[in-house]
Amino acid sequence: MSLQFATGTVTGLIGHNGSGKSTLLKLLAKQLKPSSGEVLLDGKSLQWWRSKALARELAYLPQHLPAATGLTVSELVQMGRFAWHGLMTRMNQDDERIVAEALKLTHTEAFAAQLVDTLSGGERHRVFLAMCVAQQSRYLLLDEPLAALDIAHQLEVIQLVRRLAHELGLGVIIVIHDINLAAQYCDRLVAIKHGRLLYDETPAELMTQAKLQDIYGVALSLLPHPLNQHTVALL
């Protein structure tokens, strides 16, 4: 597998369960060490990047969110600034502005004073996404951020992710299962099967019956969306 990821674009990692999508994302986030080959950032192997310096370049949101016991939403989002100042440094006005903007972008400012543990699953995902936004890294690595959300919040989050990439110039790499959302909101789709790269194409190129059956192993029907003419896959 040989891939390059650029800023300013949304890349969707797609494929059946167990295909290797989350493993690839963990390799990119330095959560796993490759058994062979290298992951390079700016031409430098990830193994030589210090954690704090890497956190200024990469923000990683895992599939299973970590505990945030005793933290308010605002306090959790503030943790996104630690990559720039450390745990013991007080927030300055710029930090406070960045945190406020992250809360506003993710529509989580209404419960900034609430404890994270009291939130619903969908709200927790948006709050952790706000923390990643506050981190102000160049790349945002998201492992199934839509999984715990209802349809309305799935749409809200994927639209936000696309806006962050195109307006702020972030390089977003997202593991996503909904092929229709992936095709509509990602700029590029990377399909993985059994740990190998199967396709690396634009949504328009990839959304064919033959390629989708190759990826998922099921026959899907394709129709044009009645409002925007995007290709929609149906069972």
Side-chain angles (χ1 to χ4, degrees), residues 6-19:
T7 54
T9 62
V10 181
T11 300
L13 302 183
I14 63 172
H16 57 75
N17 288 339
S19 59

Side-chain angles (χ1 to χ4, degrees), residues 98-129:
I98 290 166
V99 167
E101 288 176 354
L103 290 167
K104 184 177 180 180
L105 273 171
T106 53
H107 302 294
T108 52
E109 67 267 46
F111 35 83
Q114 285 184 236
L115 290 172
V116 176
D117 288 346
T118 66
L119 303 177
S120 69
E123 290 168 342
R124 278 173 54 85
H125 270 76
R126 284 193 288 150
V127 166
F128 273 90
L129 183 57

Side-chain angles (χ1 to χ4, degrees), residues 139-150:
Y139 290 92
L140 188 55
L141 312 180
L142 307 173
D143 195 352
E144 296 191 46
L146 310 182
L149 305 181
D150 57 37

